[in-house]
Amino acid sequence: MTETAGRSKGLAISRQIVLPWSKSLSMAMNSLRIRFFRSLITTFSLVLAIAFLGYTLTGSAIARELFRIHGDAAMPLLIEAGYSLDSTGLGITAGPKELWLMVLSLLVCTVGIVNAQLMSVTERFREIGIMKCLGALDGMILRLFLLEALALGLFGAGAGAVLGLVVAWASSFLHFGALDYGQMNILPLLAEAAKAWGTGIGLSVLGVLYPAILAAKLQPIIVMKEEY
Amino acid sequence: MDTHHIVRVVAVTKTFSLGKMPVQVLKGVDLEVEAGEYLSIMGPSGSGKSTLFNMIGGLDKPTSGRVFIDEVDISQLDAYELAWLRNRKIGYIFQTFNLIPVMSALENVTLPMIFAGMSGDDAVEKGRGLLDLVGLGERFQHKPSELSGGQQQRVAIARALANDPAIILADEPTGNLDSSTGEEIIALLQKMSRERQVTVISATHDFKMLNVSDRVVWIRDGRIDKIEHRDELSISIGTIQERHESAHS
């Protein structure tokens, strides 16, 4: 049999074994709901890391807005709060220390997600094996884990971004309470929060990739083994 | 009538490597299973019984030799075709029931139908029917943890029948059940095999299984020791216990 014939036969059969998107989604949500506590722990590091990212990003956006409104008059307060003029002299950036902290926190968060998802895959070895025995394809298992991660990302990173925005907004009053917030444009702030949200969703999906591939590659014979 | 061999095992050997030591678990097994037959594979633990069983179910591949299911050599199948085989042709029943714990009885039974592309409503209707058939019609919304062992095994039987398979593979189906519940499960399997013309292949060391089996294959030390038909069984049934004990000593 030629290579192409084999592949088209595979495709023909993959169309006979299906898991509709609506069903995949409801299975993924059900799985999250039932393992709510574990899902919460998996999400928690994401919430914190994205809250920090969101806080830093929106904090900078607030500082930029204040610089735009008040110009040099805001400079002493901004410098005191740790911001500096960027190289173009037109914008405001966060200090390098904060950037480092941001990168580090995201890195730690990703490692945390990979770790938690590996645990979750190991816990579900038998369940995955059963599905394989019932005819599930590798791609279906992969899809279920990706959907779960996507949902965790949407909610976890969403919560983190909102938390970061609120804290950044509130704490900005501590530093810049003397300045007038009247003409502040809220859109750049929301854009920065959305950036943090998107990053979080990306990290959540990235973190589940390796564990999900591991799960998808499991052989159905795993259910015959006592230890799982 | 022409007999149709639903399973054919030809000169199958299987070698596992335990550390650096290769251990030959199956040493050349030939076996033919007729469609509609109720076959029990008996043998002490370590005899290669489970290995042979896994091989028939397409869960494991032989080191040499061939396994044909419906005259298709399963070692030639790719991942998709194997998945299709597991989904449509074979229904699995396990000693530990192996229901998906996060799903209700009905969801467990309908999952193979969903994989087979059946619409949600049709799957629910058929699933309810199958649960009725195994005597669990009222408990379809229960989670496996809310069901007794016997009830879980009934759900597993309903699930195994979901896509009207040609073969039901039952691995020690009564192994985790008490004696009377085990009998009920055996009776149910026998009924399904008769009414639905399903081939039942069961690995077991439960002697209650023998009464319902058309044939019993005795495995010892990686080979087929003896194959007995039901009529021969009734003669030798008194000596079975004896032989079993000697196999264990």
Side-chain angles (χ1 to χ4, degrees):
Chain A
M1 193 199 310
T2 65
E3 185 65 18
T4 29
R7 205 179 303 135
S8 68
K9 195 168 58 154
L11 271 175
I13 287 176
S14 73
R15 265 183 247 116
Q16 291 177 37
I17 301 275
V18 294
L19 187 57
W21 279 100
S22 59
K23 185 71 189 169
S24 318
L25 199 64
S26 78
M27 279 171 76
M29 291 311 120
N30 190 39
S31 180
L32 286 177
R33 192 172 52 80
I34 286 184
R35 300 180 181 86
F36 185 71
F37 192 64
R38 159 162 287 289
S39 314
L40 216 59
I41 294 172
T42 312
T43 329
F44 200 60
S45 72
L46 187 68
V47 175
L48 287 182
I50 295 306
F52 182 63
L53 178 69
Y55 166 78
T56 315
L57 290 177
T58 44
S60 303
I62 291 169
R64 275 197 298 274
E65 277 298 298
L66 289 172
F67 182 66
R68 183 181 63 80
I69 299 162
H70 300 284
D72 287 340
M75 238 15 241
L77 281 173
L78 289 173
I79 286 166
E80 198 186 319
Y83 295 101
S84 53
L85 272 177
D86 67 12
S87 50
T88 63
L90 296 170
I92 291 291
T93 60
K97 208 159 72 180
E98 286 204 302
L99 281 174
W100 268 111
L101 274 175
M102 222 156 68
V103 170
L104 264 179
S105 81
L106 292 182
L107 209 64
V108 169
C109 156
T110 313
V111 172
I113 292 173
V114 175
N115 193 15
Q117 294 285 18
L118 272 176
M119 279 271 284
S120 142
V121 165
T122 313
E123 267 177 5
R124 286 151 77 176
F125 266 8
R126 185 175 283 273
E127 193 179 317
I128 297 160
I130 299 168
M131 294 228 253
K132 283 287 186 79
C133 277
L134 301 180
L137 299 169
D138 293 9
M140 293 180 186
I141 308 288
L142 194 66
R143 190 203 291 171
L144 286 176
F145 276 92
L146 287 178
L147 279 174
E148 280 183 34
L150 195 65
L152 285 185
L154 278 169
F155 290 109
V162 169
L163 187 68
L165 179 65
V166 169
V167 173
W169 181 258
S171 73
S172 74
F173 285 112
L174 288 179
H175 295 293
F176 317 123
L179 297 171
D180 177 23
Y181 276 55
Q183 293 170 45
M184 184 164 290
N185 188 353
I186 195 84
L187 278 178
L189 271 62
L190 291 180
E192 294 300 322
K195 229 188 263 176
W197 191 18
T199 309
I201 295 169
L203 287 185
S204 181
V205 172
L206 192 74
V208 84
L209 224 46
Y210 169 66
I213 290 172
L214 210 66
K217 293 271 172 231
L218 277 178
Q219 293 301 307
I221 196 164
I222 195 124
V223 301
M224 305 302 280
K225 298 188 172 136
E226 287 295 322
E227 59 263 43
Y228 301 113
Chain B
M1 199 185 89
D2 218 16
T3 51
H4 173 54
H5 289 133
I6 189 79
V7 177
R8 215 148 53 84
V9 177
V10 183
V12 160
T13 70
K14 180 74 181 180
T15 307
F16 289 109
S17 45
L18 283 178
K20 281 179 184 166
M21 278 273 283
V23 179
Q24 196 170 33
V25 183
L26 289 179
K27 301 167 180 168
V29 172
D30 294 278
L31 180 65
E32 287 176 344
V33 185
E34 286 165 24
E37 192 176 16
Y38 194 124
L39 183 91
S40 289
I41 302 173
M42 283 234 156
S45 34
S47 60
K49 174 185 57 175
S50 305
T51 310
L52 175 63
F53 179 83
N54 291 343
M55 222 106 36
I56 295 172
L59 297 176
D60 207 349
K61 287 190 171 171
T63 308
S64 73
R66 284 166 192 282
V67 176
F68 296 90
I69 294 182
D70 229 354
E71 297 306 329
V72 176
D73 183 350
I74 61 170
S75 64
Q76 302 295 318
L77 300 183
D78 61 25
Y80 290 113
E81 292 166 317
L82 273 175
W84 185 87
L85 187 83
R86 291 183 192 118
N87 184 245
R88 310 288 172 89
K89 284 268 177 197
I90 303 176
Y92 299 90
I93 296 171
F94 304 96
Q95 179 174 3
T96 50
F97 322 129
N98 278 343
L99 299 177
I100 296 179
V102 297
M103 292 185 181
S104 71
L106 185 63
E107 286 170 323
N108 266 287
V109 176
T110 52
L111 192 58
M113 303 183 215
I114 303 278
F115 287 162
M118 198 184 273
S119 83
D121 291 342
D122 292 350
V124 165
E125 195 186 327
K126 189 173 183 187
R128 292 285 301 267
L130 285 169
L131 283 171
D132 272 336
L133 198 69
V134 299
L136 277 180
E138 300 302 308
R139 318 202 67 157
F140 66 97
Q141 277 181 322
H142 289 236
K143 291 267 158 59
S145 57
E146 299 159 349
L147 297 168
S148 71
Q151 287 169 335
Q152 288 188 51
Q153 199 61 302
R154 283 166 188 273
V155 176
I157 292 175
R159 182 179 65 184
L161 291 167
N163 287 330
D164 303 306
I167 307 167
I168 284 193
L169 281 169
D171 178 44
E172 304 272 7
T174 59
N176 275 16
L177 300 173
D178 65 61
S179 181
S180 67
T181 315
E183 266 170 44
E184 285 168 30
I185 292 297
I186 291 169
L188 185 60
L189 277 174
Q190 189 190 19
K191 184 175 154 221
M192 296 301 137
S193 134
R194 261 205 229 116
E195 286 176 2
R196 300 181 156 243
Q197 305 296 308
V198 187
T199 311
V200 177
I201 302 173
S202 150
T204 184
H205 41 247
D206 185 345
F207 290 103
K208 294 192 292 295
M209 270 305 206
L210 299 183
N211 301 326
V212 299
S213 305
D214 295 319
R215 279 196 302 162
V216 177
V217 178
W218 297 85
I219 304 281
R220 190 187 284 186
D221 298 330
R223 292 180 205 280
I224 292 183
D225 186 31
K226 194 173 186 182
I227 300 182
E228 287 177 313
H229 287 268
R230 189 205 294 272
D231 42 349
E232 298 165 329
L233 271 170
S234 53
I235 304 165
S236 62
I237 201 125
T239 63
I240 284 167
Q241 189 65 42
E242 205 176 295
R243 184 158 6 132
H244 180 70
E245 274 159 9
S246 71
H248 271 291
S249 61

